[in-house]
Amino acid sequence: MQFSSTRSYIASEDLAIAVNAAVTLQRPLLVKGEPGTGKTELARQVAESLGMELLEWNVKSTTKAQQGLYEYDAVSRLRDSQLGEERVHDVRNYIRKGKLWQAFEADRRVVLLIDEIDKADIEFPNDLLQELDRMEFHVYETGETIRARHRPVVIITSNNEKELPDAFLRRCFFHYIRFPDLETLRAIVSVHYPDIREQLLTTALTQFYEIRETPGLKKKPSTSEVLDWLKLLLAEDLGPEDLKREGRNLLPRLHGALLKNEQDVHLFERLAFMARGQR
């Protein structure tokens, strides 16, 4: 089975090679890139392309590695023991299986997405080393060892908010999703909006790349944001002439889809003020 672009996802050649290499090596694929470049969607498309079920583990700042294995609800067991419940005699009734456990016991090979691993504590990746390496873990409350029936395809995403430990990186196949060039972005847009007028697309993408390359921009707009912007342009039935940016109109039309903080909005307002002063 080989992954490549799908009907709804354009994967660059190097990205497809990275996915297939990780599958062949049976190593986690660590994917980094700007927010909005399709890292999470990649896992969904890999699962669909390879005909596998997708399990998503969305990591938060409070997430602990143990939660991916299982959680033992001692409080509920204590309460049930006080109430004289029969179920209290079987500790398995109080164990909640995590995403890794679900992936390990699946009847078929699955895709396991560990999304935004860099949000968690710095020890989080190291705490998963043995489980991802050996594909097994021990359940202390029951004394059993859970081993993977089929080694899952593990895709891990990171927005590079913090550095990941070297020991963890050594066990991964790494790929950085670069922001797409103009030709690739046009292909991505055509998947989502096949009927968009060529002149509007050319004008919009030219302006979009100009905005991304503006010096001093705090947050560059991403792929997902340009798709939102184009959707708004189509909904408003705007033409290329409506996108002209000059004088007081240096801010892009419907700029709220592209500029996501006040510093960047003020940047374009200052540029417009300076442009007026030079006349």
Short mmCIF file of all heavy atoms in Angstrom, two decimals, residues 193 195-197 200 226-239 242-243 253-254:
data_model
loop_
_atom_site.label_atom_id
_atom_site.label_comp_id
_atom_site.label_asym_id
_atom_site.label_seq_id
_atom_site.Cartn_x
_atom_site.Cartn_y
_atom_site.Cartn_z
N TYR A 193 -12.21 24.40 -4.83
CA TYR A 193 -13.06 25.31 -5.61
C TYR A 193 -12.76 25.13 -7.10
O TYR A 193 -12.09 25.97 -7.72
CB TYR A 193 -12.83 26.76 -5.19
CG TYR A 193 -12.91 26.98 -3.70
CD1 TYR A 193 -11.78 27.40 -2.98
CD2 TYR A 193 -14.09 26.75 -3.00
CE1 TYR A 193 -11.85 27.58 -1.60
CE2 TYR A 193 -14.16 26.92 -1.63
CZ TYR A 193 -13.04 27.35 -0.94
OH TYR A 193 -13.10 27.52 0.42
N ASP A 195 -14.44 25.49 -9.72
CA ASP A 195 -15.05 26.41 -10.67
C ASP A 195 -14.61 27.86 -10.50
O ASP A 195 -15.20 28.76 -11.11
CB ASP A 195 -16.59 26.34 -10.55
CG ASP A 195 -17.11 24.94 -10.85
OD1 ASP A 195 -16.55 24.28 -11.75
OD2 ASP A 195 -18.08 24.51 -10.19
N ILE A 196 -13.60 28.10 -9.68
CA ILE A 196 -13.16 29.48 -9.46
C ILE A 196 -12.59 30.06 -10.75
O ILE A 196 -11.89 29.36 -11.51
CB ILE A 196 -12.12 29.55 -8.32
CG1 ILE A 196 -11.87 31.00 -7.91
CG2 ILE A 196 -10.84 28.83 -8.69
CD1 ILE A 196 -11.05 31.14 -6.64
N ARG A 197 -12.89 31.32 -11.01
CA ARG A 197 -12.42 31.95 -12.25
C ARG A 197 -10.90 32.16 -12.20
O ARG A 197 -10.36 32.55 -11.18
CB ARG A 197 -13.12 33.29 -12.46
CG ARG A 197 -14.60 33.16 -12.87
CD ARG A 197 -15.30 34.50 -12.82
NE ARG A 197 -15.47 34.93 -11.43
CZ ARG A 197 -15.88 36.15 -11.08
NH1 ARG A 197 -16.14 37.05 -12.02
NH2 ARG A 197 -16.01 36.47 -9.80
N LEU A 200 -9.58 35.67 -11.16
CA LEU A 200 -9.75 35.92 -9.72
C LEU A 200 -8.72 35.14 -8.93
O LEU A 200 -8.11 35.68 -8.00
CB LEU A 200 -11.17 35.54 -9.29
CG LEU A 200 -11.44 35.60 -7.77
CD1 LEU A 200 -11.27 37.02 -7.25
CD2 LEU A 200 -12.83 35.06 -7.44
N VAL A 226 -6.09 30.89 3.48
CA VAL A 226 -6.34 31.35 2.11
C VAL A 226 -7.56 30.66 1.52
O VAL A 226 -8.32 31.26 0.75
CB VAL A 226 -5.09 31.16 1.21
CG1 VAL A 226 -4.86 29.70 0.86
CG2 VAL A 226 -5.25 31.96 -0.08
N LEU A 227 -7.81 29.41 1.91
CA LEU A 227 -9.02 28.72 1.46
C LEU A 227 -10.27 29.39 2.02
O LEU A 227 -11.28 29.55 1.32
CB LEU A 227 -8.96 27.25 1.84
CG LEU A 227 -7.91 26.40 1.12
CD1 LEU A 227 -7.87 24.98 1.70
CD2 LEU A 227 -8.17 26.34 -0.38
N ASP A 228 -10.21 29.79 3.29
CA ASP A 228 -11.34 30.52 3.88
C ASP A 228 -11.56 31.84 3.16
O ASP A 228 -12.70 32.25 2.92
CB ASP A 228 -11.07 30.78 5.37
CG ASP A 228 -11.21 29.54 6.23
OD1 ASP A 228 -11.79 28.55 5.74
OD2 ASP A 228 -10.74 29.55 7.38
N TRP A 229 -10.47 32.52 2.87
CA TRP A 229 -10.54 33.83 2.20
C TRP A 229 -11.18 33.69 0.82
O TRP A 229 -12.08 34.46 0.46
CB TRP A 229 -9.14 34.42 2.11
CG TRP A 229 -9.09 35.83 1.58
CD1 TRP A 229 -9.85 36.90 1.99
CD2 TRP A 229 -8.23 36.33 0.55
NE1 TRP A 229 -9.51 38.01 1.29
CE2 TRP A 229 -8.51 37.69 0.40
CE3 TRP A 229 -7.24 35.74 -0.23
CZ2 TRP A 229 -7.84 38.50 -0.52
CZ3 TRP A 229 -6.57 36.53 -1.14
CH2 TRP A 229 -6.87 37.90 -1.30
N LEU A 230 -10.74 32.71 0.08
CA LEU A 230 -11.30 32.48 -1.25
C LEU A 230 -12.78 32.12 -1.18
O LEU A 230 -13.58 32.53 -2.03
CB LEU A 230 -10.52 31.38 -1.98
CG LEU A 230 -9.10 31.75 -2.40
CD1 LEU A 230 -8.34 30.52 -2.90
CD2 LEU A 230 -9.11 32.83 -3.48
N LYS A 231 -13.15 31.37 -0.16
CA LYS A 231 -14.57 31.02 0.02
C LYS A 231 -15.41 32.27 0.22
O LYS A 231 -16.52 32.41 -0.33
CB LYS A 231 -14.72 30.08 1.22
CG LYS A 231 -16.15 29.59 1.45
CD LYS A 231 -16.20 28.60 2.60
CE LYS A 231 -17.63 28.07 2.80
NZ LYS A 231 -17.67 27.06 3.90
N LEU A 232 -14.88 33.22 1.00
CA LEU A 232 -15.59 34.48 1.22
C LEU A 232 -15.67 35.30 -0.06
O LEU A 232 -16.71 35.91 -0.36
CB LEU A 232 -14.89 35.29 2.32
CG LEU A 232 -15.01 34.75 3.74
CD1 LEU A 232 -14.15 35.57 4.69
CD2 LEU A 232 -16.46 34.76 4.19
N LEU A 233 -14.56 35.34 -0.82
CA LEU A 233 -14.56 36.09 -2.08
C LEU A 233 -15.61 35.54 -3.04
O LEU A 233 -16.32 36.30 -3.72
CB LEU A 233 -13.18 36.04 -2.73
CG LEU A 233 -12.01 36.65 -1.96
CD1 LEU A 233 -10.72 36.54 -2.76
CD2 LEU A 233 -12.30 38.11 -1.60
N LEU A 234 -15.73 34.22 -3.09
CA LEU A 234 -16.72 33.60 -3.96
C LEU A 234 -18.13 33.84 -3.44
O LEU A 234 -19.05 34.09 -4.23
CB LEU A 234 -16.44 32.09 -4.06
CG LEU A 234 -15.15 31.70 -4.80
CD1 LEU A 234 -14.87 30.20 -4.63
CD2 LEU A 234 -15.25 32.05 -6.28
N ALA A 235 -18.31 33.79 -2.12
CA ALA A 235 -19.63 34.03 -1.55
C ALA A 235 -20.11 35.45 -1.80
O ALA A 235 -21.31 35.69 -2.02
CB ALA A 235 -19.61 33.74 -0.05
N GLU A 236 -19.16 36.41 -1.79
CA GLU A 236 -19.50 37.82 -2.05
C GLU A 236 -19.52 38.14 -3.54
O GLU A 236 -19.83 39.28 -3.92
CB GLU A 236 -18.48 38.72 -1.35
CG GLU A 236 -18.49 38.64 0.16
CD GLU A 236 -19.73 39.27 0.77
OE1 GLU A 236 -20.27 40.19 0.15
OE2 GLU A 236 -20.15 38.81 1.85
N ASP A 237 -19.19 37.14 -4.37
CA ASP A 237 -19.16 37.31 -5.82
C ASP A 237 -18.26 38.48 -6.23
O ASP A 237 -18.61 39.30 -7.08
CB ASP A 237 -20.57 37.52 -6.37
CG ASP A 237 -20.64 37.30 -7.88
OD1 ASP A 237 -19.78 36.56 -8.41
OD2 ASP A 237 -21.54 37.87 -8.54
N LEU A 238 -17.08 38.52 -5.62
CA LEU A 238 -16.13 39.58 -5.92
C LEU A 238 -15.26 39.19 -7.12
O LEU A 238 -14.98 38.01 -7.34
CB LEU A 238 -15.24 39.85 -4.70
CG LEU A 238 -15.96 40.30 -3.43
CD1 LEU A 238 -14.97 40.49 -2.30
CD2 LEU A 238 -16.75 41.58 -3.68
N GLY A 239 -14.83 40.19 -7.87
CA GLY A 239 -13.96 39.96 -9.00
C GLY A 239 -12.56 40.46 -8.71
O GLY A 239 -12.31 41.07 -7.66
N ASP A 242 -12.05 44.00 -7.54
CA ASP A 242 -12.44 44.34 -6.16
C ASP A 242 -11.31 44.13 -5.16
O ASP A 242 -11.43 44.52 -3.99
CB ASP A 242 -13.65 43.50 -5.73
CG ASP A 242 -14.88 43.75 -6.59
OD1 ASP A 242 -15.23 44.94 -6.77
OD2 ASP A 242 -15.48 42.77 -7.08
N LEU A 243 -10.24 43.50 -5.59
CA LEU A 243 -9.14 43.17 -4.68
C LEU A 243 -8.01 44.19 -4.73
O LEU A 243 -6.98 43.99 -4.07
CB LEU A 243 -8.58 41.78 -5.00
CG LEU A 243 -9.56 40.61 -4.92
CD1 LEU A 243 -8.83 39.29 -5.17
CD2 LEU A 243 -10.28 40.57 -3.59
N ARG A 253 -9.03 42.93 1.11
CA ARG A 253 -10.48 42.81 1.25
C ARG A 253 -10.81 41.60 2.13
O ARG A 253 -10.21 40.54 1.98
CB ARG A 253 -11.09 42.62 -0.16
CG ARG A 253 -12.60 42.76 -0.24
CD ARG A 253 -13.02 44.20 -0.07
NE ARG A 253 -14.46 44.35 -0.20
CZ ARG A 253 -15.08 44.67 -1.34
NH1 ARG A 253 -14.40 44.87 -2.45
NH2 ARG A 253 -16.39 44.81 -1.35
N LEU A 254 -11.74 41.77 3.06
CA LEU A 254 -12.12 40.70 3.99
C LEU A 254 -10.89 40.17 4.74
O LEU A 254 -10.69 38.98 4.90
CB LEU A 254 -12.82 39.57 3.23
CG LEU A 254 -14.13 39.96 2.52
CD1 LEU A 254 -14.55 38.88 1.53
CD2 LEU A 254 -15.23 40.20 3.54
#
